[in-house]
Structures are given as structure tokens and as C-alpha cells.
């Protein structure tokens, strides 16, 4: 039996909203030691989502037997919208489940809502992702990155990112003209989360599809900062750290034909 | 014109 209780429904609500436009059907893998993990690839095979929710992400977590919960994220989103952000959220499944039970309790315990969601058999590709060495790593406020990705998409369907020792330059060039945004490394002593950190082994010049970057920045509601790891000509890693877990996106680059 | 790569060129199916 699986019983995972979140202190508040808002984490799961934000997670599903962040990924449901990229992937529709997902297998949630549940185990006592690893908690809940998920790997899903978008239909175009360009963007991969990797989620880890350690047992420590939960107020209570129990999973007697490893389980795979095949879920339609559109349906899960509909059910999660029925709960309030500050409700407790508990996910419950039997050992060979046909359904996932989703329970919301308001903190005053005078209202309990229960939903049963049908599970699906989902046959999906799983890719093995080894730890990669990257040419550079950038950590910046997730809202800053979201603004650049959204703004620059209005100019071009591609976003070029150039990283040097102390700055990151985002460039877009399209039918109406060109634009660039330069972000410089700095340390904010008052609020560390506002700092911009660049670790560089080698300068990087990579280009990504703006549409995918706009999907990725939907996760900026989950973490105040995002870490972007880039290497020339290989997929980039975008990581949003969660309390006791992470949401990672791997994005394949664009290149000159 | 730029071409979009897929992840399948970089990662193997497990």
C-alpha cells in the first residue's frame, strides 16, 4: 500500500501545472526508499522531465511494495484543482491498484474531499541519463530566467545562450529584429537567492528552441532559483531544487545544419 | 536555418 501525505497540496498542484503542458501521460514510480520518482519525455523527444520526491518531501510516507502509477496529467490536474493550496494532500493506492485515491483535508479538519482517479498502463521510453560533466553552471533567480525566456520568445523561435567567465548573454534574432539580454555574475549579500553565480570550465555557445524554454520556466513557481548546466552541442540540464527532491529538465540543443 | 536535435541522439533507452 502507498500512503503519501503532503503537508500542503500546493507542491503537487504546482508540479503538475509545471509539467502537464510538456507531457500528458506519466508513470509515477513509488518506493519506500526513493519516494516518488518520474521520468517522462515529450512527444517530440526533445525535452525530458525527471522528478524526485524523496520520502522527506512528505509529512508521512509509506510504500510497502514498489508501485507504478500511470496517470493522465490533465486528469490529475483537474482533481488537484479541487483542493486548496493549504489543504493536506494524501495520495493512497493499493498494492495492485486500478485507482489512485486523492484526499484533501483542510487544516481545521472540518472538510475532507476524496477523489478516485483511474490509473492507466503507460508504455513509455525510459532513457538512461548518466551524470554528465558540464562546461558551465549558472544559478540565477528562476523569475529572472522566466522573464528572459518569455520576452525573447516574442522575437524568435530560438534562443542563443553565450556564457563567458562573468556573464551570460541571451540572444534572439527574428523577423522583426534582434535582441539581447546580458546578465552579470554578482553576489547579493542581503538575499543570497538573488545572486547570480557562474561556474565556468569552458565558454559555451548553445541555442535552444524558445518553445521548450517557455515550458521549462513554468517550473519557476516551484523554486526561487534555477541552476542551468550547459555544454556545447549536448543537452542542457535545468534544475529546480525542491525541499528533499528536484525537478529537472533535459533539453536537446539546436544546431546548424 | 537551425535544426532541432532529439534526446535520442545523446541518451540510450534503458
Amino acid at each position: 500500500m502507498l500512503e503519501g501525505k503532503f503537508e500542503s497540496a500546493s507542491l503537487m498542484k504546482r508540479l503538475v501545472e509545471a509539467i502537464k503542458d510538456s507531457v500528458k501521460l506519466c508513470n509515477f514510480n513509488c518506493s519506500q526508499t526513493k519516494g516518488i520518482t518520474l521520468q517522462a519525455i515529450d512527444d517530440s523527444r526533445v525535452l525530458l522531465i525527471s522528478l524526485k520526491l524523496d520520502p522527506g518531501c512528505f509529512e508521512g510516507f509509506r510504500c510497502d511494495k514498489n508501485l507504478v502509477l500511470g496517470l493522465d496529467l490533465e486528469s490529475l490536474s483537474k482533481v488537484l484543482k479541487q483542493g486548496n493550496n493549504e489543504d493536506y494532500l494524501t495520495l493512497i493506492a493499493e498494492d495492485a491498484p486500478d485507482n489512485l485515491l486523492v484526499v484533501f483535508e483542510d487544516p481545521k479538519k472540518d472538510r475532507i474531499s476524496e477523489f478516485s482517479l483511474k490509473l492507466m498502463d503507460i508504455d513509455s521510453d525510459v532513457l538512461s541519463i548518466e551524470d554528465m560533466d558540464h562546461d558551465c553552471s549558472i544559478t540565477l533567480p528562476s523569475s529572472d530566467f522566466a522573464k528572459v525566456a518569455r520576452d525573447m520568445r516574442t522575437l524568435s523561435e530560438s534562443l542563443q545562450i553565450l556564457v563567458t567567465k562573468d556573464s551570460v548573454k541571451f540572444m534572439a534574432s527574428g523577423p522583426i529584429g534582434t535582441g539581447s539580454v546580458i546578465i552579470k555574475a554578482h553576489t547579493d549579500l542581503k538575499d543570497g537567492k538573488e545572486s547570480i553565480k557562474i561556474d565556468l570550465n569552458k565558454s559555451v555557445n548553445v541555442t535552444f528552441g524558445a518553445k521548450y524554454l517557455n515550458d521549462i520556466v513554468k517550473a519557476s513557481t516551484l523554486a526561487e532559483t534555477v541552476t542551468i548546466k550547459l555544454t556545447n552541442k549536448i543537452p542542457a540540464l535545468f534544475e529546480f531544487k525542491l525541499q528533499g527532491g528536484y525537478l529537472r529538465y533535459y533539453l536537446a540543443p539546436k544546431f546548424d545544419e | 536555418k537551425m535544426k532541432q536535435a532529439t534526446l535520442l541522439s545523446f541518451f540510450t533507452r534503458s
Side-chain angles (χ1 to χ4, degrees):
Chain A
M1 183 174 175
L2 164 77
E3 196 172 316
K5 182 175 183 180
F6 293 94
E7 200 185 321
S8 84
S10 78
L11 172 64
M12 201 60 189
K13 284 162 77 86
R14 282 178 288 157
L15 270 173
V16 172
E17 289 312 299
I19 62 180
K20 79 171 172 46
D21 296 330
S22 307
V23 289
K24 187 169 155 52
L25 305 177
C26 284
N27 282 322
F28 287 71
N29 304 295
C30 311
S31 90
Q32 184 63 46
T33 51
K34 289 185 183 160
I36 296 181
T37 59
L38 171 159
Q39 194 200 84
I41 310 166
D42 84 310
D43 287 341
S44 61
R45 305 286 187 266
V46 170
L47 183 66
L48 181 145
I49 293 168
S50 173
L51 168 70
K52 191 156 87 81
L53 294 174
D54 288 337
C57 290
F58 297 82
E59 194 182 77
F61 186 81
R62 165 189 165 196
C63 183
D64 306 327
K65 192 167 159 270
N66 289 0
L67 287 181
V68 179
L69 306 175
L71 285 163
D72 179 328
L73 294 184
E74 279 295 332
S75 314
L76 181 58
S77 162
K78 282 180 192 161
V79 165
L80 289 173
K81 282 188 177 140
Q82 318 266 341
N84 294 321
N85 279 334
E86 55 282 358
D87 286 352
Y88 295 114
L89 164 66
T90 309
L91 305 176
I92 300 168
E94 301 298 329
D95 279 345
D98 295 318
N99 298 288
L100 172 69
L101 201 63
V102 178
V103 182
F104 299 101
E105 288 169 71
D106 76 24
K108 286 178 277 162
K109 305 266 176 128
D110 48 15
R111 184 178 50 90
I112 295 175
S113 1
E114 271 191 20
F115 301 88
S116 168
L117 202 57
K118 284 181 194 149
L119 295 174
M120 309 164 70
D121 280 323
I122 298 166
D123 188 17
S124 63
D125 282 337
V126 176
L127 302 184
S128 41
I129 314 254
E130 295 101 52
D131 277 336
M132 294 179 286
D133 287 330
H134 291 274
D135 289 342
C136 75
S137 168
I138 308 153
T139 300
L140 74 162
S142 57
S143 55
D144 288 5
F145 178 56
K147 177 162 170 56
V148 172
R150 287 176 184 138
D151 290 352
M152 299 293 257
R153 192 189 185 183
T154 62
L155 292 177
S156 170
E157 57 185 38
S158 297
L159 183 64
Q160 187 183 0
I161 306 178
L162 286 124
V163 190
T164 54
K165 195 162 65 72
D166 48 17
S167 75
V168 185
K169 186 174 185 182
F170 299 92
M171 288 161 62
S173 168
I176 63 159
T178 63
S180 71
V181 176
I182 295 176
I183 292 179
K184 290 184 178 165
H186 81 273
T187 306
D188 190 316
L189 294 173
K190 267 192 246 145
D191 183 358
K193 292 198 170 76
E194 288 296 315
S195 294
I196 293 168
K197 196 169 159 239
I198 301 171
D199 289 317
L200 186 89
N201 296 322
K202 203 176 151 208
S203 59
V204 171
N205 179 356
V206 275
T207 301
F208 298 105
K211 165 193 179 296
Y212 298 104
L213 293 170
N214 273 261
D215 283 337
I216 291 169
V217 300
K218 287 173 186 159
S220 52
T221 58
L222 286 156
E224 284 183 87
T225 64
V226 57
T227 298
I228 305 172
K229 295 187 176 185
L230 302 172
T231 302
N232 288 314
K233 292 181 181 159
I234 77 157
L237 166 62
F238 301 82
E239 180 175 74
F240 298 86
K241 282 205 172 69
L242 311 174
Q243 206 111 61
Y246 58 71
L247 176 61
R248 289 178 181 164
Y249 293 83
Y250 293 85
L251 176 61
K254 283 182 138 183
F255 55 87
D256 283 317
E257 272 185 287
Chain B
K1 178 84 183 161
M2 298 198 90
K3 197 180 169 203
Q4 175 66 60
T6 73
L7 292 168
L8 301 177
S9 339
F10 303 97
F11 302 129
T12 50
R13 285 193 174 90
S14 62

